[in-house]
Amino acid sequence: MLWLHTQDEPMAASDLGAKALLSRSQVSRVIDSLQARGLVERTPSPHDARSVQITLTPAGRTAFAEANATRRAALAEVFDDLLDDEDITALQTVWNKLKRDAAC
């Protein structure tokens, strides 16, 4: 869901698997589970009849936002005493570089 959350457009299931380091069968099982819970939608690819695209549903975006807020709160408890504002800024810079390179 993390990869899907950052996408404005639907993502090919094969690309999602590559980004998440999952096999085709693993991706299929995860998507099946998320779809059964109403968190993602599968749509036929307009570019490749053999492929489907995956997108988060509004319920999926809500579920991700709630889980992400919980994760952030838990991490803040651990790192707030260890990192100052300068450390956080440096980590954000590195993270943004990694995300930019991963998108290529």
Side-chain angles (χ1 to χ4, degrees):
M1 285 180 51
L2 176 61
W3 285 108
L4 291 173
H5 181 72
T6 62
Q7 303 300 310
D8 293 328
E9 300 292 326
M11 185 173 202
S14 58
D15 292 342
L16 183 59
K19 298 262 187 208
L21 303 175
L22 298 173
S23 70
R24 292 177 87 178
S25 63
Q26 289 171 316
V27 169
S28 183
R29 283 193 300 272
V30 169
I31 292 170
D32 286 346
S33 175
L34 293 172
Q35 187 174 24
R37 294 168 43 205
L39 302 176
V40 298
E41 288 180 331
R42 280 183 170 108
T43 55
S45 170
H47 309 291
D48 183 352
R50 302 165 295 163
S51 181
V52 295
Q53 294 181 323
I54 310 301
T55 188
L56 283 177
T57 63
R61 291 200 179 276
T62 298
F64 176 83
E66 290 170 357
N68 195 38
T70 300
R71 178 189 62 85
R72 286 178 177 269
L75 290 174
E77 289 179 17
V78 174
F79 291 109
D80 276 352
D81 293 337
L82 299 174
L83 303 175
D84 60 24
D85 289 343
E86 186 177 314
D87 295 330
I88 298 297
T89 300
L91 286 171
Q92 287 174 329
T93 300
V94 170
W95 181 244
N96 288 336
K97 285 181 181 180
L98 292 172
K99 287 193 325 185
R100 184 183 62 237
D101 288 348
C104 297

